[in-house]
Amino acid sequence: MPSTSPRGEEAATPTAPETVRKTAPEPSVASPVRLRAEPGEGRPDVTPALEELYRGFARELLVPLWTEIGDLMPLSPRSKASPHVWRWERLRALAATAGDLVPVGRGGERRAIALANPSLGGRPFASPTLWAAIQYLMPGEDAPEHRHTQHAFRFVVEGEGVWTVVGGDPVAMRRGDFLPQAGWNWHAHHNATSEPMAWIDGLDIPFQYANAAQFFEFGRDVLDEAEHATPERSRSERLWGHPGLRPLGARPAGPGTPLLAYRWEHTDRALADQLAVEAEGFGGTVEPGHAAVRFTDPATGADVLPTLRAEVHRVRRGAETAPVRETGSSVHQVFDGSGTVTIGDSSWSVSRGDLFVVPSWQPFSVRSEAGRTDSDGGALDLFRFSDAPVFEALRLDRRTVENSPAPHTPAPHTPVEGTPAR
């Protein structure tokens, strides 16, 4: 208690001297800024005073816009990525060798082998925003459990026998199936057969990496007995997999689709029906001979994942798509058939399993050369995923078609009601 004076007054409590704040010395930083005064039309005259100004800018870590505007603000997008094709036969052979040499558990990181764009400095990125990888699981193996904020999917170009287990729900993986999985869901895989299996993974790893938004957590190394089940249909499909019908008693657990498998039989039928209706004279295709479907969230009708769009395109034999430019990048895998792909000034012949990347604002077109010997249905089928939801959310999406009079500028976006908060 405070002391009291003889007159009954409370004695003042001594106060501590004020803390003296010391200003820390400014850190000495070796400036990475390199500026060079160069003559040119519209540029300032090169004088000793200008050169001294530039040295002052560099010392203080400053960069004037007039020296960088051509790179930072070009007249149209100039992607750092290059068009490129990866051959499925070579990828699969290397993945099979990795199956013999690399563990699937910690240290082998599930044997996911990423596509590295030749113009991105060796980073494991297919484009500045998209990750694509081949994953390979040997017979009887478990890919250990983990979760991450990156949104992901699996697409199966061949084989079956692996079940991906998302939140304890085993989901069968078969040829042609698209299996999305939103971020921060526990997931693992197990191979219930006597044969190895490969598929492709797609994630938004580069986008989250560039924006320092990623989180990751290890889970269990081994699945329990119930998770090693091999059901024909997952619980997710039994609830959410009925066309046009939403279960009133079920709620999505978070962002992204609650449906964990989009089966090839439904995709194939939708594409075949589009071309059949077109042949009957009623339209319904993107352009003559070009059918396409987009995978959507049955709870909202929006894209299956917040940062990734996924589609399948079918181009009948002999048809050629119009060259299209789009902001944002995309990765494609040939699911069936063969054809010629043109991206910018480059063209390649592609066949089943081959993957290729289309950088932002590069004109892209494809000609189908599918026949009975290299396709199941006489058409070129392409699985495609892109970063379109990000560009649309930021109002940066733009698309032009060759010979179109003006760029397509989308109408104002309408928020989707009922989308759960993250």
Side-chain angles (χ1 to χ4, degrees):
M1 293 181 63
S3 59
T4 305
S5 70
R7 291 183 297 177
E9 297 175 348
E10 191 174 282
T13 302
T15 57
E18 289 189 16
T19 302
V20 178
R21 296 183 179 272
K22 295 183 178 180
T23 303
E26 294 186 12
S28 176
V29 177
S31 176
V33 176
R34 297 290 182 269
L35 299 174
R36 184 176 177 180
E38 295 181 344
E41 184 177 354
R43 295 180 179 177
D45 294 335
V46 178
T47 64
L50 183 70
E51 292 174 337
E52 179 58 31
L53 175 65
Y54 280 13
R55 286 190 289 270
F57 285 158
R59 283 193 301 271
E60 299 302 321
L61 297 174
L62 300 170
V63 179
L65 178 60
W66 61 84
T67 66
E68 300 290 331
I69 190 167
D71 181 54
L72 296 178
M73 302 174 70
L75 299 180
S76 60
R78 297 199 304 233
S79 177
K80 289 182 170 60
S82 298
H84 190 73
V85 171
W86 291 265
R87 301 299 180 183
W88 180 248
E89 288 187 3
R90 300 176 197 167
L91 296 183
R92 202 182 190 289
L94 290 168
T97 301
D100 295 329
L101 302 176
V102 180
V104 74
R106 315 304 181 197
E109 300 311 322
R110 299 176 165 216
R111 261 186 236 113
I113 307 162
L115 310 185
N117 191 287
S119 298
L120 296 181
R123 300 297 299 171
F125 302 158
S127 83
T129 53
L130 300 176
W131 163 287
I134 180 173
Q135 190 170 157
Y136 195 85
L137 200 61
M138 297 289 280
E141 285 186 328
D142 284 0
E145 184 183 62
H146 66 211
R147 64 178 178 174
H148 41 71
T149 51
Q150 293 86 350
H151 302 293
F153 69 81
R154 282 153 279 288
F155 180 72
V156 185
V157 75
E158 64 183 28
E160 60 181 50
V162 168
W163 270 254
T164 183
V165 183
V166 182
D169 189 7
V171 187
M173 296 171 59
R174 309 182 188 97
R175 172 167 158 77
D177 291 347
F178 170 70
L179 302 107
Q181 173 230 296
W184 213 237
N185 283 287
W186 291 111
H187 58 285
H189 319 304
H190 72 86
N191 189 336
T193 71
S194 59
E195 297 293 329
M197 183 175 165
W199 62 89
I200 67 163
D201 293 334
L203 295 92
D204 60 358
I205 290 175
F207 173 73
Q208 292 203 27
Y209 177 85
N211 292 283
Q214 67 274 47
F215 292 86
F216 182 94
E217 187 175 348
F218 288 117
R220 300 162 298 157
D221 289 337
V222 180
L223 299 174
D224 63 31
E225 184 176 350
E227 291 169 318
H228 277 109
T230 57
E232 180 71 16
R233 291 190 303 150
S234 62
R235 296 191 298 273
S236 162
E237 292 169 87
R238 290 158 62 192
L239 284 173
W240 293 96
H242 303 282
L245 301 173
R246 176 174 176 167
L248 296 183
R251 296 289 182 271
T257 175
L259 179 59
L260 299 178
Y262 294 70
R263 299 300 180 189
W264 173 247
E265 61 190 274
H266 305 136
T267 306
D268 180 42
R269 187 180 305 131
L271 293 167
D273 281 348
Q274 280 188 35
L275 290 175
V277 169
E278 179 196 70
E280 294 164 11
F282 295 101
T285 54
V286 176
E287 57 189 325
H290 177 190
V293 293
R294 179 175 301 163
F295 299 107
T296 59
D297 182 339
T300 65
D303 285 293
V304 286
L305 296 168
T307 56
L308 298 173
R309 173 167 293 168
E311 300 170 338
V312 177
H313 294 248
R314 174 169 290 174
V315 185
R316 60 174 166 75
R317 177 175 174 80
E320 185 168 1
T321 66
V324 173
R325 294 179 188 260
E326 294 178 309
T327 50
S329 54
S330 58
V331 175
H332 305 239
Q333 183 171 39
V334 179
F335 177 70
D336 200 30
S338 61
T340 299
V341 169
T342 300
I343 310 169
D345 297 327
S346 302
S347 293
W348 294 274
S349 293
V350 293
S351 57
R352 181 181 288 189
D354 291 345
L355 294 114
F356 58 90
V357 60
V358 181
S360 183
W361 212 243
Q362 289 280 323
F364 164 65
S365 64
V366 61
R367 177 177 174 80
S368 173
E369 295 156 2
R372 293 182 179 178
T373 59
D374 62 11
S375 69
D376 296 331
L380 173 64
D381 288 348
L382 291 173
F383 170 77
R384 174 186 190 266
F385 76 98
S386 73
D387 48 21
V390 175
F391 282 76
E392 289 179 0
L394 298 174
R395 312 298 195 263
L396 295 174
D397 53 312
R398 183 172 292 203
R399 182 177 188 271
T400 66
V401 180
E402 190 172 90
N403 300 324
S404 178
H408 165 67
T409 302
H413 299 259
T414 302
V416 178
E417 293 185 0
T419 303
R422 180 156 184 163

